[in-house]
Amino acid sequence: MKPRSLVFDLFGDYLRYRGGEVRLRGLVALMSCFDVPEATVRVVATRMRKEGWLSSRREGRETVYALTGAAWDLLDEGRDRIFRRDRGPWDGQWNMVVYSVPETERALREQLRKKLAWFGFGPLSSAVWLSPHNRTDAVIAAFSDHPAVQLHAFRSRSTGTESDRDIAARAWDLKELDQDYAELLETYRPRLAGYRAGALSARDALGARMRLIHDYRLFPFRDPDLPPELLPADWQGRVAHEVFLEAHGLLRVRAEECVDGLLGAD
């Protein structure tokens, strides 16, 4: 778990509910739970401030850090994708984005592809991406300040369910994703009994909860949250999400005890 990601996760899951800011020595105390030394915390905090993710103020001889508005927006967007799943019925419409980016803007093109994947779009071809969810407006808004990016949105139906399943299999590697979900379940489902029994210390619960977030956070980049009719039989993704939510909830009280103890000591 990278120190930068740990800082974001500590704010997202704990510090936002404790005033939204933290003294440097409090942050050092929290990061020590993950064997991050004080010198590294200072460097990371300084860099995140220079990059516009953290703001700082002086309180006597103390430095107090808080996330900036841009950082909170990024964090909330990620949190929404991690914790929520679309449960409504699918209307059978594919939402398509066709883009054009000059060859000289390769970095911008890669940024566009990552954003498309983040919003649950998959590539039908190199410049044609599609999703069963109507999120084209969000993609267009994200690149409204980039005139080099030309985006066109369409909605259409295929010839039927068999064709829809074929499209989904072409746009996403569902087999590999399902296997990775199965591995996540193998890791965390056996731990639920211990979590329910409160077997972990407060410090270990904080570490386990942060590790859980770390292990799960990349799935929303890869999982388009397809409706059931487009998924393979015995799909593990929905089960894995439920196990993730349960584990995250079971570890909350003990993890927050650790955070309160460290910040209280600070």
Side-chain angles (χ1 to χ4, degrees):
M1 295 185 289
K2 296 181 179 179
R4 181 191 184 95
S5 295
L6 287 170
V7 172
F8 272 112
D9 289 342
L10 286 169
F11 271 98
D13 256 0
Y14 305 98
L15 297 175
R16 76 156 73 219
Y17 307 112
R18 291 161 176 80
E21 58 183 22
V22 63
R23 296 179 181 180
L24 175 60
R25 61 180 176 179
L27 185 60
V28 168
L30 291 171
M31 297 286 278
S32 70
C33 295
F34 310 96
D35 299 322
V36 180
E38 179 178 347
T40 301
V41 177
R42 290 178 177 273
V43 170
V44 169
T46 299
R47 287 178 178 173
M48 292 181 69
R49 182 176 57 79
K50 290 180 178 179
E51 293 168 358
W53 302 119
L54 285 178
S55 62
S56 65
R57 63 180 177 84
R58 299 294 294 181
E59 190 174 274
R61 300 178 64 182
E62 298 277 358
T63 301
V64 180
Y65 287 101
L67 291 187
T68 62
W72 280 120
D73 290 343
L74 180 68
L75 196 63
D76 289 340
E77 180 184 344
R79 186 178 183 82
D80 185 66
R81 285 301 313 278
I82 289 172
F83 284 91
R84 292 182 59 187
R85 286 292 182 271
D86 196 301
R87 300 300 187 191
W90 184 40
D91 62 3
Q93 296 269 12
W94 287 101
N95 299 274
M96 305 177 68
V97 172
V98 180
Y99 71 79
S100 175
V101 181
E103 188 65 24
T104 55
E105 298 284 355
R106 293 183 180 180
L108 186 58
R109 182 191 301 149
E110 185 61 25
Q111 180 184 347
L112 171 61
R113 289 172 176 170
K114 288 181 178 180
K115 181 64 73 172
L116 284 165
W118 175 248
F119 282 120
F121 285 78
L124 192 60
S125 65
S126 60
V128 179
W129 290 55
L130 79 171
S131 170
H133 307 297
N134 190 3
R135 298 170 181 156
T136 53
D137 288 346
V139 176
I140 292 172
F143 290 88
S144 60
D145 295 332
H146 297 277
V149 178
Q150 298 296 314
L151 296 172
H152 300 281
F154 303 90
R155 283 172 59 83
S156 64
R157 293 181 181 271
S158 74
T159 56
T161 301
E162 185 176 347
S163 178
D164 287 331
R165 287 180 176 271
D166 179 65
I167 289 172
R170 289 168 56 194
W172 297 277
D173 191 343
L174 298 177
K175 182 178 180 180
E176 181 180 355
L177 181 59
D178 193 50
Q179 290 173 346
D180 290 343
Y181 272 131
E183 291 180 6
L184 186 82
L185 284 169
E186 288 178 6
T187 299
Y188 282 99
R189 191 149 48 183
R191 299 178 183 179
L192 291 178
Y195 295 166
R196 294 188 191 105
L200 298 184
S201 67
R203 186 184 182 97
D204 287 343
L206 176 63
R209 200 169 190 242
M210 295 285 277
R211 171 60 65 177
L212 173 69
I213 288 286
H214 175 269
D215 289 346
Y216 193 80
R217 66 160 16 103
L218 291 182
F219 280 102
F221 276 102
R222 302 169 56 200
D223 187 349
D225 193 19
L226 297 176
E229 53 265 49
L230 300 181
L231 292 170
D234 301 321
W235 175 250
Q236 300 293 302
R238 293 293 174 94
V239 180
H241 183 66
E242 295 301 326
V243 168
F244 162 74
L245 292 177
E246 183 177 1
H248 191 265
L250 289 169
L251 292 166
R252 181 180 64 84
V253 172
R254 295 291 281 158
E256 290 187 344
E257 287 178 7
C258 179
V259 173
D260 288 337
L262 291 171
L263 296 183
D266 172 47

